[in-house]
Amino acid sequence: MLETLHSFLDLKTIIWMLPIIFIFHDLEEIITIESSMTASNYPKTKFVQQALNARKKLGSTAAQLAVSAAWILLFMSFIAWTTAHGGSFLLFTAILNLFVFQAFIHIVQTIMFKGYTPGILTSLVLLIPYCFLAYYYLIENGLLTWPLMFASLPLSLIFIPVFLIGNLLGRYFIR
């Protein structure tokens, strides 16, 4: 089946799909965040309460999340552009790692909340398949090696605070 994809997709297309997949995922979150924050059908466990409190502190309105998404989209688009134009695959791989981590977090939250959480649908339908496809293309083209993968992991952790700046911007500009 993956061989069939080669006639439709090339490596540059896979790279440019990064910001596109991200925006679809974040649109789901933006559209559903406010209704999920007010939902009272979640079990009242300590984890659920901590997660809801953290979301409120980071910005829980659709407008605040949209500002954050715009910040991250600019960052990801820059990485996609530099990678597609001959740049290193280190930053691209670090972002892929974060996509996998975020999808995993959505799955864990859905299990812990025992209900829908914003972003779970696109995590399952778009993020996870895209990441596997991107990793496959990188490995097949000899661009993803173990040393690169290990080098990208700490960089993925560094990107988390960079992306959280978007949440601060959302809270600053949208009150």
Side-chain angles (χ1 to χ4, degrees):
M1 178 179 148
L2 290 174
E3 294 299 324
T4 308
L5 289 175
H6 286 286
S7 60
F8 298 107
L9 299 172
D10 63 355
L11 187 58
K12 278 196 176 187
T13 304
I14 297 293
I15 293 167
W16 278 111
M17 286 173 64
L18 176 80
I20 295 167
I21 297 294
F22 168 77
I23 200 62
F24 278 115
H25 174 68
D26 247 40
L27 280 173
E28 178 192 1
E29 291 180 331
I30 291 167
I31 291 167
T32 61
I33 188 69
E34 289 183 18
S35 63
S36 73
M37 290 298 294
T38 59
S40 59
N41 57 346
Y42 293 128
K44 300 298 179 207
T45 65
K46 187 175 180 178
F47 170 82
V48 170
Q49 196 55 50
Q50 287 175 340
L52 290 173
N53 289 341
R55 175 48 74 188
K56 285 179 185 172
K57 286 180 185 175
L58 290 175
S60 60
T61 68
Q64 290 170 333
L65 192 57
V67 171
S68 177
W71 168 260
I72 297 169
L73 181 63
L74 286 171
F75 194 79
M76 287 183 159
S77 297
F78 175 75
I79 290 172
W81 185 83
T82 57
T83 304
H85 288 87
S88 166
F89 281 87
L90 178 63
L91 297 176
F92 184 79
T93 304
I95 296 292
L96 283 179
N97 298 340
L98 277 179
F99 265 19
V100 170
F101 178 70
Q102 186 179 26
F104 174 74
I105 292 298
H106 283 296
I107 292 167
V108 168
Q109 285 178 338
T110 299
I111 292 167
M112 297 296 288
F113 277 61
K114 297 180 180 162
Y116 174 82
T117 56
I120 187 63
L121 296 177
T122 51
S123 288
L124 295 172
V125 175
L126 292 177
L127 279 183
I128 293 171
Y130 168 74
C131 289
F132 284 135
L133 185 65
Y135 284 131
Y136 167 78
Y137 267 75
L138 292 175
I139 291 167
E140 185 180 74
N141 287 292
L143 299 167
L144 182 59
T145 61
W146 284 113
L148 178 68
M149 187 63 165
F150 288 127
S152 71
L153 292 174
L155 194 54
S156 297
L157 294 176
I158 292 170
F159 281 163
I160 293 172
V162 171
F163 290 162
L164 288 176
I165 290 170
N167 291 90
L168 295 174
L169 291 172
R171 284 190 4 220
Y172 177 77
F173 288 115
I174 310 294
R175 294 179 190 254

